[in-house]
Amino acid sequence: MKSFTSVFEQYRWDEIKFRLEKVTLSDVERSLHKNNRTIDDFLNLISPAAAGKLEVMAGITQQLTQKRFGKTIQLYAPLYLSNECQNICTYCGFSLDNLIRRKTLSDTELMIEASVLKSMGVNHVLLVSGEANKTVGISYFLNAVKLLKPHFANISIEVQPLSEAEYRQLHEAGVNAVLVYQETYHQEVYKEYHPKGKKSNFSFRLETPDRIGKAGIHKMGLGVLLGLEDWRVDSFFNALHIDYLQKQYWKSRFSVSFPRLRPAEGIIEPNFIMSDKDLLQLICAYRIWNEDLEISISTRENETFRNHIISLGATAMSAASKTNPGGYAVDKEALEQFEISDERGMEEIQSIIREAGYDPVMKDWDTVYSGV
């Protein structure tokens, strides 16, 4: 069966880096004035040469986003299920080698956390956990979805890569979206960031979105951990992956997230610093290249950046986030996966969105529309 691996193997990291450095201002302007843009245009728009056209890119981004998505921002909140993890990842607070107190929510604790989110008006919940198949495997996830489905219109998950059959089970249970990040597409150094655990298998993770697509999941979310390697090269490969997936699984929707490496227990310092200006360029490049792509901004980003990105390409934002299991009510002192930057509550974020002339949307999907 065809998978993204066959596409990925046609490209080399160093060759893409060289191409990015050789992009000229004329190349950028040509990509900006096209109607049907390709992956090569995306490369031009994330190049160093395109940084000088950021104001023009921002204007185009705003127009395209409003044309496709209107003036709306979907709001969601993560619900962390467990910080148990069998992987060693050098950038994550949940890493197996961190000597921390581990916590997995019971059914009762899960519903207490859910009730807090509901009291905030949350109707779209993202279930997140560490990667520990024996503790939080498919049976745990199916049970969590069963418990939560009557209370939330939209359930997404961000957990360990699963099999196609397991994704089908989640789809049938009512999961709307699955998020999975490759972290970095730099295959030669991937093992250095993931020295132990199932996550160290680069190829298995790379082909995870193919399994999600084959299972018929309504939406897929991709991204890279910005700060591990050169953000421009990593983002090219991420866009290449999305480009392949949209052609292969055209019935699904797609989103991209932009997690920048944040402080956490026992993690490495970023190898590459990505400025706010760099991140804005990347967001604009994605929108100009792909008008249908949903763009999600998390509370990793600071208040000022999140305030401005409302009118510059974002279609979804998390708010009032807690990145530890039980963080909303059950166990507020449990270890966070990473520190959030924007700590404002849901009501305040809604108010800021309205002040910007946009509508905060708490629900934009219901499983009734898919027959699930």
Side-chain angles (χ1 to χ4, degrees):
M1 292 289 290
K2 183 180 180 182
S3 73
F4 177 65
T5 298
S6 61
V7 177
F8 178 75
E9 290 176 344
Q10 298 175 33
Y11 294 81
R12 295 291 178 269
W13 183 277
D14 290 342
E15 292 175 0
I16 298 303
K17 187 175 181 64
F18 178 78
R19 285 177 58 189
L20 283 161
E21 293 169 351
K22 294 300 180 181
V23 173
T24 67
L25 190 57
S26 296
D27 295 328
V28 175
E29 290 176 341
R30 185 168 58 252
S31 293
L32 285 173
H33 290 93
K34 290 175 65 175
N35 291 322
N36 298 313
R37 299 179 180 93
T38 68
I39 191 67
D40 291 327
D41 294 306
F42 179 80
L43 183 145
N44 289 340
L45 295 174
I46 61 171
S47 71
K53 303 294 290 185
L54 188 53
E55 186 173 348
V56 175
M57 291 175 65
I60 297 172
T61 296
Q62 187 178 57
Q63 294 172 8
L64 292 176
T65 305
Q66 289 186 18
K67 183 180 77 171
R68 173 62 178 81
F69 295 94
K71 301 184 75 172
T72 62
I73 301 290
Q74 184 192 6
L75 291 174
Y76 68 95
L79 199 171
Y80 275 69
L81 305 172
S82 175
N83 62 9
E84 294 276 358
C85 195
Q86 297 303 307
N87 296 317
I88 293 180
C89 302
T90 59
Y91 50 79
C92 182
F94 291 174
S95 185
L96 177 65
D97 56 344
N98 285 337
L99 301 178
I100 62 169
R101 181 168 59 90
R102 303 290 174 168
K103 173 75 176 179
T104 298
L105 297 183
S106 66
D107 289 359
T108 300
E109 292 170 331
L110 177 65
M111 297 313 297
I112 291 173
E113 292 288 284
S115 69
V116 174
L117 291 177
K118 289 297 292 183
S119 71
M120 299 179 192
V122 174
N123 222 343
H124 177 182
V125 65
L126 169 65
L127 305 183
V128 188
S129 79
E131 300 191 8
N133 285 309
K134 292 183 179 179
T135 307
V136 278
I138 184 62
S139 296
Y140 183 96
F141 300 139
L142 289 171
N143 179 65
V145 173
K146 179 181 178 180
L147 292 172
L148 295 172
K149 187 178 178 183
H151 306 283
F152 295 94
N154 190 317
I155 299 177
S156 303
I157 65 167
E158 183 183 337
V159 300
Q160 68 267 33
L162 302 170
S163 69
E164 180 183 339
E166 289 169 331
Y167 284 126
R168 289 189 185 279
Q169 287 180 279
L170 289 169
H171 175 59
E172 292 168 2
V175 168
N176 175 62
V178 178
L179 282 62
V180 60
Y181 305 142
Q182 188 64 26
E183 315 298 10
T184 178
Y185 287 84
H186 197 321
Q187 188 170 5
E188 287 73 23
V189 301
Y190 181 89
K191 182 71 174 179
E192 296 175 16
Y193 293 117
H194 310 95
K196 183 177 180 180
K198 195 169 184 178
K199 194 170 181 177
S200 63
N201 187 332
F202 179 89
S203 296
F204 183 78
R205 196 168 189 89
L206 189 70
E207 296 185 351
T208 299
D210 275 290
R211 298 192 296 277
I212 297 170
K214 291 171 185 175
I217 294 290
H218 179 67
K219 185 170 77 174
M220 284 183 251
L222 278 75
V224 294
L225 185 53
L226 300 164
L228 293 184
E229 294 298 323
D230 187 320
W231 68 265
R232 289 186 167 91
V233 184
D234 249 337
S235 296
F236 169 83
F237 280 102
N238 191 64
L240 183 71
H241 205 163
I242 293 170
D243 187 58
Y244 157 84
L245 292 167
Q246 284 189 311
K247 294 171 181 175
Q248 193 74 13
Y249 309 104
W250 51 270
K251 292 183 179 180
S252 295
R253 293 162 56 190
F254 296 86
S255 70
V256 61
S257 299
F258 306 87
R260 282 195 281 186
L261 196 57
R262 291 282 300 156
E265 181 74 21
I267 70 166
I268 60 169
E269 290 296 315
N271 284 340
F272 291 82
I273 302 299
M274 186 185 204
S275 68
D276 286 356
K277 184 178 178 180
D278 291 335
L279 182 53
L280 178 58
Q281 181 185 347
L282 179 59
I283 290 170
C284 290
Y286 269 112
R287 171 58 67 236
I288 295 170
W289 166 63
N290 191 325
E291 296 182 27
D292 293 326
L293 191 63
E294 298 179 27
I295 290 177
S296 180
I297 307 296
S298 79
T299 52
R300 287 177 182 258
E301 301 307 324
N302 62 60
E303 295 180 8
T304 301
F305 186 88
R306 277 165 55 91
N307 288 352
H308 285 91
I309 205 63
I310 290 169
S311 61
L312 286 175
T315 62
M317 299 175 72
S318 57
S321 302
K322 302 297 181 183
T323 66
N324 50 324
Y328 295 104
V330 170
D331 191 356
K332 296 184 179 181
E333 302 303 317
L335 182 82
E336 299 176 315
Q337 186 181 29
F338 58 86
E339 291 181 12
I340 66 172
S341 184
D342 187 348
E343 297 183 351
R344 294 172 294 181
M346 186 65 73
E347 288 187 3
E348 186 175 356
I349 295 297
Q350 288 177 304
S351 178
I352 289 167
I353 291 171
R354 292 190 184 100
E355 289 172 5
Y358 282 67
D359 294 323
V361 177
M362 305 304 288
K363 171 184 175 181
D364 78 337
W365 169 259
D366 197 304
T367 51
V368 70
Y369 299 129
S370 66
V372 176

